[in-house]
Amino acid sequence: MILKTWRLRRAALAGAAGCLVLTCARPAAADPWVPAAGDGVTKPQIRLFRGDRAYPSGGFTTKTVPASTESYTQFRVDGVQGIGRDLSIEYDLRVGHVDRSATHHGVTTDSISTGFQDQEIGLNYGLVQTPRFADSVELNVVFPTGTTKPSPSLGTGRWALEPDFQAGIARGWGSVSVIVGPRIFLDGNATQIRTTLDVEFRATHRLSLTGEMFFVRTIKQTSTLPPGAAGEIYNLLRLGAGAEYRLTERFRPFFLDEVTIAGSGVHAGNRFEFGLAIHY
């Protein structure tokens, strides 16, 4: 009887430890752990970017050249909603204000666009779901709600699909997760490979330090893209570092400072984002 009681207690402690790892050491972005039905996370946030140099088109490089000054403010809401049966709905909704200015022969011209950008909604299915390891497959649909003209564009003007694979490990110190997959434009004019790597380290019970790597490479692109859309189809390597603070079990403010390392056909610069993760 004593041995049986001890085994039950040990199993309970192991389950509690697993739950602690799963709930306290979850990745900040790419997340293969599917929440239970009714549970989820939503993250309203603001992104700020400014750059006056760009990576030239024609080759993936770390070198930049002088370019028009581009700044944007983006309001973004992304998150996940568990719906049961190892399924969740994931979403990435964006509204942006883009300001691009260029000076030629002493004359400065400004181009401004404000409105909805392309939106993304997907369905995620959990394969292996344990406290220490999880993986999942996801299918996202990119809705071309962002305009391509007048310049600067707010979207690609094309529907796209993103079939992704996600995987992650979680331990007491934190977690590592990755998401990889193509973005396939349905008109056949472009295909990209996109990868996001997220790392989270628990510095204290409340404070987590985060890191992110984002890589996108266009492996197919035709010359028949509509004007403005080409600016949204690019090659990029970006690194970021930030933190998340567990204010309460439900509310967790966060920030992330990102810098572009290499690219092609896109502006270079720093992007700063801050927001609030709301767990429910």
Side-chain angles (χ1 to χ4, degrees):
M1 183 67 180
I2 294 177
L3 180 60
K4 182 178 181 181
T5 302
W6 179 81
R7 286 176 175 172
L8 290 174
R9 287 180 179 176
R10 186 177 65 175
L13 287 172
C19 290
L20 182 63
V21 169
L22 186 60
T23 58
C24 296
R26 296 292 295 277
D31 195 346
W33 283 272
V34 177
D39 293 347
V41 183
T42 188
K43 296 188 291 185
Q45 59 201 265
I46 293 176
R47 284 175 164 174
L48 304 172
F49 173 85
R50 188 181 187 279
D52 58 5
R53 300 186 66 84
Y55 300 105
S57 301
F60 197 76
T61 178
T62 59
K63 297 181 180 180
T64 61
V65 296
S68 60
T69 299
E70 180 174 289
S71 63
Y72 70 74
T73 301
Q74 181 188 81
F75 177 69
R76 178 190 185 208
V77 179
D78 71 318
V80 56
Q81 169 68 56
I83 58 176
R85 297 183 180 274
D86 293 324
L87 289 169
S88 64
I89 296 174
E90 304 202 1
Y91 52 89
D92 189 342
L93 312 176
R94 309 178 180 199
V95 175
H97 173 84
V98 183
D99 186 341
R100 184 176 296 164
S101 62
T103 302
H104 297 285
H105 304 293
V107 179
T108 300
T109 57
D110 285 311
S111 301
I112 298 175
S113 296
T114 301
F116 288 107
Q117 297 178 294
D118 290 352
Q119 316 299 325
E120 188 170 346
I121 300 177
L123 189 65
N124 190 33
Y125 176 69
L127 300 173
V128 177
Q129 298 288 298
T130 68
R132 295 171 62 88
F133 174 82
D135 60 0
S136 65
V137 289
E138 180 180 13
L139 179 62
N140 299 303
V141 179
V142 180
F143 297 82
T145 51
T147 59
T148 60
K149 57 183 180 180
S151 180
S153 63
L154 294 173
T156 62
R158 292 295 184 268
W159 290 81
L161 293 179
E162 278 191 15
D164 293 328
F165 173 75
Q166 300 187 92
I169 59 171
R171 301 293 187 267
W173 51 263
S175 62
V176 178
S177 61
V178 63
I179 177 171
V180 59
R183 173 175 285 188
I184 305 168
F185 292 88
L186 297 186
D187 61 2
N189 285 336
T191 300
Q192 296 176 317
I193 295 295
R194 303 163 72 90
T195 301
T196 302
L197 175 68
D198 291 295
V199 179
E200 184 177 23
F201 174 73
R202 291 183 60 207
T204 69
H205 174 67
R206 292 186 178 274
L207 179 65
S208 293
L209 305 179
T210 60
E212 181 178 290
M213 183 206 74
F214 174 71
F215 173 77
V216 55
R217 189 69 186 261
T218 302
I219 58 176
K220 174 188 176 184
Q221 181 174 341
T222 70
S223 59
T224 58
L225 292 169
E232 293 295 312
I233 301 176
Y234 48 79
N235 301 287
L236 181 69
L237 173 62
R238 183 170 56 221
L239 301 179
E244 181 181 271
Y245 185 75
R246 183 188 296 267
L247 189 64
T248 67
E249 185 65 27
R250 184 176 183 182
F251 298 108
R252 306 176 190 182
F254 66 89
F255 77 89
L256 185 67
D257 187 13
E258 299 172 293
V259 59
T260 53
I261 302 299
S264 173
V266 65
H267 269 75
N270 284 72
R271 186 173 72 180
F272 183 76
E273 66 180 61
F274 57 94
L276 179 67
I278 305 172
H279 294 245
Y280 57 89

